[in-house]
Amino acid sequence: MFDTLLRHCNLPDGRTDIDIGITGGRIAAVAPHLPGPAGEEIDAGGQLVSPPFVDAHFHMDSTLSYGLPRVNQSGTLLEGIALWGELKPLLVQEAIVERALAYCDWAVAKGLLAIRSHVDVCDPRLLATEALLHVRERVKPYLDLQLVAFPQDGVLRAPGALDNLRRALDMGVDVVGGIPHFERTMADGAASVRLLCEEAASRGLRVDMHCDESDDPLSRHIETLASESVRLGLQGRVTGSHLTSMHSMDNYYVSKLLPLMREAGVAAIANPLINITLQGRHDTYPKRRGMTRVPELLAAGIPVAFGHDCVMDPWYGLGSGDMLEVAHMGLHVAQMTGQDGIRACFQAVTATPAAILGLDGYGLEPGCRADLVLLQAADPVEAIRLRATRLLVMRAGKVIARTAPATATLSLPERPGEVDFRLHRKKV
Ligand code: FE2
């Protein structure tokens, strides 16, 4: 007998009317018409049941700090970095913890149960590192938080940054970060990539760098990152985040770069909401979109995830932890509006980032941890279109969040009743 049985589920791979049996916090069976009774039965009613959303790129040390100490007037990346520099000396640990926990509440409500967050390690006090290590433990029962040691001001450019980064890794931060395009020269940027990849290789850690987050077609640190991955045997454990310069690169150069990334086992993370906002700021018109080449990367066999990057912080004043909003923007910017493209964008906020983070037991196969989201939508395409309500969120077989279905009722005399936003085509 199952502890819990979810009846009549649609799955992201297209299977319909499937039952999911859960025992001891794990998925025990996935098949049509599983035998009951169970401790509890939940009728999914032909709606989508997905593994949880995963955000592969976030900044939890700055989240929900919007307006502190002032608002970013220009809206640019550089004013954001300067503003964060003003805020850093004023930060206190309890406030970082409080804001991070509040964001994790939002995340859980939206079915987002795994987040890779960069944490700025340039402050020698390592206040934010300590705060987020504490938060990682606090949220462990319900959310997987993976931390990246991120030298925001440049590991070579900022005095003491390498030492601080190593101390953060010694304290238990999971992943090695970097920001080569923010070093003073291209040569320094390349040197920082080599140094940081060697640090990761010697410690057996993964790498995730902010890489080429600019509109400069000649910012090519991703090439160094890929070649270092091969040199140090880090294939499958290295990620380039942002990669916005690829938007502006020469096509011939990209035709060489993509196979190199594929051979090096380097994954890519685009951050559509932020890339569309921060890039192209030096352009008049035509104005570049500034997101990396998502369909081309996917066609070359390179895993691509979408990250939220920022929510209400010095760089971005919007957001609510909704990865469907991220996917929605991503498919528009990348012009991935075909059915396959939209499904790939759903993958980019679920299974692909789960693989990039190396999450254990993620998925809907028997044996996986029973982490699930029931959405008010029939399939992934409808989920993105409607930014569907997360009716129920489950962690290890226990319901941890519920949201009432979104409904609207018309009081028009001619057409009274509930509005149904699904497409019911009866005639051509
Ligand atoms: Fe970022």
Side-chain angles (χ1 to χ4, degrees):
M1 185 171 114
F2 300 112
D3 297 340
T4 308
L5 197 45
L6 277 94
R7 297 277 193 202
H8 314 300
C9 309
N10 288 358
L11 305 187
D13 64 11
R15 282 179 287 168
T16 57
D17 203 12
I18 299 291
D19 293 350
I20 301 174
I22 296 167
T23 302
R26 299 214 159 245
I27 294 174
V30 181
H33 315 301
L34 288 173
E40 185 190 10
E41 291 205 13
I42 298 169
D43 184 4
Q47 298 177 106
L48 178 65
V49 173
S50 169
F53 297 104
V54 180
D55 184 356
H57 188 111
F58 194 63
H59 293 265
M60 204 175 275
D61 49 357
S62 54
T63 195
L64 310 194
S65 68
Y66 183 73
L68 297 175
R70 61 183 177 83
V71 166
N72 183 337
Q73 290 299 338
S74 65
T76 60
L77 173 62
L78 291 181
E79 186 177 341
I81 293 175
L83 184 47
W84 177 235
E86 290 171 36
L87 178 57
K88 261 195 272 189
L90 311 176
L91 290 174
V92 291
Q93 206 163 313
E94 303 80 68
I96 301 172
V97 169
E98 207 174 290
R99 288 195 286 262
L101 288 174
Y103 183 75
C104 289
D105 291 349
W106 295 10
V108 169
K110 297 285 187 186
L112 167 57
L113 300 189
I115 300 174
R116 175 183 275 183
S117 172
H118 295 253
V119 52
D120 185 355
V121 294
C122 283
D123 175 359
R125 298 172 300 165
L126 294 180
L127 265 188
T129 306
E130 270 182 23
L132 291 195
L133 283 167
H134 172 73
V135 170
R136 187 179 70 182
E137 294 311 305
R138 285 273 293 271
V139 302
K140 205 175 234 170
Y142 54 91
L143 187 147
D144 295 305
L145 177 59
Q146 190 177 82
L147 299 177
V148 186
F150 174 49
Q152 170 80 71
D153 303 327
V155 74
L156 297 177
R157 180 174 176 169
L162 179 60
D163 184 46
N164 297 337
L165 177 131
R166 286 179 171 145
R167 284 197 292 131
L169 296 172
D170 291 342
M171 287 160 67
V173 169
D174 309 278
V175 178
V176 177
I179 186 163
H181 58 274
F182 198 68
E183 304 291 355
R184 299 317 289 266
T185 63
M186 283 293 164
D188 279 0
S192 80
V193 172
R194 278 194 288 278
L195 177 74
L196 291 164
C197 285
E198 284 168 3
E199 189 70 32
S202 72
R203 292 173 182 260
L205 298 178
R206 290 169 193 266
V207 176
D208 186 341
M209 288 194 197
H210 284 65
C211 199
D212 303 322
E213 189 183 359
S214 78
D215 298 315
D216 175 3
L218 297 177
S219 183
R220 293 171 173 186
H221 297 299
I222 180 59
E223 180 184 292
T224 310
L225 185 61
S227 71
E228 286 301 300
S229 302
V230 174
R231 182 174 74 87
L232 296 163
L234 291 169
Q235 290 96 332
R237 289 159 54 198
V238 175
T239 300
S241 277
H242 291 290
L243 305 178
T244 52
S245 71
M246 201 187 294
H247 188 91
S248 301
M249 281 174 185
D250 172 70
N251 287 338
Y252 177 78
Y253 175 74
V254 174
S255 77
K256 272 186 72 194
L257 175 63
L258 296 184
L260 173 66
M261 288 177 68
R262 166 92 172 110
E263 284 159 38
V266 171
I269 298 172
N271 297 297
L273 291 162
I274 307 306
N275 299 151
I276 196 74
T277 307
L278 295 182
Q279 303 308 313
R281 290 287 183 141
H282 292 269
D283 294 357
T284 52
Y285 289 94
K287 209 183 264 286
R288 284 168 287 182
R289 289 188 173 88
M291 191 166 79
T292 196
R293 302 189 187 200
V294 175
E296 292 78 8
L297 284 158
L298 288 168
I302 296 158
V304 182
F306 288 155
H308 207 314
D309 201 3
C310 302
V311 170
M312 304 202 75
D313 69 8
W315 294 273
Y316 187 62
L318 301 168
S320 62
D322 184 351
M323 295 307 292
L324 287 174
E325 192 178 312
V326 174
H328 189 265
M329 177 59 85
L331 75 91
H332 283 84
V333 181
Q335 300 181 328
M336 292 170 67
T337 45
Q339 290 281 305
D340 289 350
I342 299 175
R343 287 177 186 279
C345 292
F346 191 83
Q347 290 281 107
V349 293
T350 51
T352 305
I356 289 173
L357 268 66
L359 294 181
D360 258 348
Y362 178 91
L364 293 182
E365 306 307 313
C368 291
R369 191 169 59 196
D371 297 354
L372 308 165
V373 185
L374 169 61
L375 292 133
Q376 192 187 0
D379 57 44
V381 175
E382 193 169 81
I384 293 178
R385 181 172 67 84
L386 299 174
R387 268 82 78 220
T389 300
R390 283 68 162 175
L391 299 168
L392 179 151
V393 180
M394 199 179 259
R395 170 80 162 188
K398 300 261 180 299
V399 175
I400 57 170
R402 286 180 193 275
T403 306
T407 57
T409 309
L410 299 186
S411 48
L412 294 168
E414 305 82 6
R415 293 181 67 79
E418 259 186 35
V419 180
D420 186 348
F421 288 96
R422 289 169 299 178
L423 188 63
H424 296 284
R425 188 177 285 129
K426 297 196 182 80
K427 298 182 254 198
V428 174

